[in-house]
Amino acid sequence: MEQTVLRESDYRMMKRHAPRHTVNVEKSPILVANPSYATPAYDLITFCADERSFDEAVQLLKDNTYPKTFVAPADGFVSLMVDNDFLALNVYVDGEPYEGTFDDLVEDESVPAEAEITYGVRATELGRDTVAPYAPTAQLTELIEGDAEAAPVHLRVLELCCAEGGKSKKELDQALNDEGLIPHDERTGLISIYPAYYIDNLEKAGGLVWKDTWRVTEEGREVLANTRSVTN
């Protein structure tokens, strides 16, 4: 694996975020407490099935598009995954594996100040098990199968966003309204659930992504195709 050298500023950041203990995920369900972390965590741990450099892991998060609710800095998020034992942190000194931990390295006076310190991260079994339920197809399937009343709207939004160039929110609003898929209050006649609700659900579940317009993801296409094959 190609190792990348951390800058001094990166080294200071790693020291601030260095893993000091292993968190019991059953007592600290960060993905449950922070739903916007689920997809980035899944992407990161899948990417790190084989060891990657710390910088490569950070760059993966920077290159991907996530919901606006995901506001964690990329380097801090990788460190958070290490801190929760979802990723194992491996330390290298001048290209050779360092036998101790990061904290040991910080205090190790035998390591020359000019030594080249690099880091690798690799998914742990805990990390793989934790993110498995958050695979985009799993989340989408659960979203659609878990709410039969909303399923037709979710599926129709996916279908509409398969169009070349995607669909704007205004276009989705108009299409769903024209097709009678927007729920209205029987007493007042007012909209009871706005289209944004369904769009937001699909984005969080990994079925839609915003790229100037709403576009279906590969996972969204897969779930849509599977659903069609079952109902046909």
Side-chain angles (χ1 to χ4, degrees), residues 4-228:
T4 55
V5 180
L6 292 186
R7 301 176 296 276
E8 183 179 355
S9 59
D10 297 324
Y11 185 82
R12 290 197 299 269
M13 182 280 301
M14 283 295 293
K15 186 172 181 179
R16 288 199 304 273
H17 294 283
R20 309 190 188 285
H21 57 276
T22 297
V23 176
N24 183 333
V25 73
E26 294 183 357
K27 295 182 179 179
S28 179
I30 61 170
L31 303 187
V32 174
N34 302 278
S36 66
Y37 286 6
T39 299
Y42 176 85
D43 290 347
L44 184 60
I45 289 168
T46 301
F47 179 69
C48 294
D50 296 320
E51 184 170 319
R52 306 281 187 167
S53 73
F54 186 88
D55 282 353
E56 287 173 327
V58 168
Q59 194 61 47
L60 171 80
L61 297 176
K62 290 182 176 180
D63 289 343
N64 286 348
T65 302
Y66 296 112
K68 294 178 181 179
T69 50
F70 178 66
V71 295
D75 51 6
F77 189 75
V78 175
S79 296
L80 179 67
M81 296 295 98
V82 171
D83 195 44
N84 280 270
D85 203 29
F86 297 163
L87 292 175
L89 177 70
N90 298 318
V91 184
Y92 299 86
V93 177
D94 289 331
E96 296 296 323
Y98 181 73
E99 296 301 322
T101 66
F102 178 84
D103 284 341
D104 294 334
L105 177 66
V106 171
E107 304 297 332
D108 194 339
E109 296 181 358
S110 69
V111 177
E114 65 275 12
E116 180 180 276
I117 309 298
T118 54
Y119 303 89
V121 286
R122 177 181 47 79
T124 65
E125 183 176 359
L126 173 62
R128 291 190 295 271
D129 290 345
T130 299
V131 301
Y134 296 97
T137 53
Q139 293 187 79
L140 274 173
T141 300
E142 181 180 357
L143 171 66
I144 292 167
E145 294 182 353
D147 189 342
E149 186 175 349
V153 189
H154 285 133
L155 291 171
R156 185 58 180 143
V157 172
L158 288 177
E159 288 177 334
L160 290 167
C161 293
C162 285
E164 184 176 354
K167 292 290 185 181
S168 67
K169 181 180 180 299
K170 183 178 180 179
E171 289 173 324
L172 290 173
D173 288 354
Q174 188 64 53
L176 295 176
N177 187 65
D178 290 347
E179 296 175 22
L181 290 174
I182 302 302
H184 288 72
D185 184 273
E186 293 182 0
R187 185 177 61 83
T188 64
L190 299 176
I191 294 176
S192 56
I193 302 178
Y194 283 86
Y197 168 80
Y198 305 100
I199 296 170
D200 185 55
N201 285 345
L202 289 166
E203 182 190 22
K204 288 178 178 177
L208 292 180
V209 64
W210 175 258
K211 294 181 178 179
D212 297 323
T213 58
W214 288 109
R215 301 168 187 258
V216 71
T217 63
E218 289 303 313
E219 292 80 10
R221 291 182 187 276
E222 180 180 341
V223 169
L224 188 58
N226 291 341
T227 303
R228 285 170 172 166

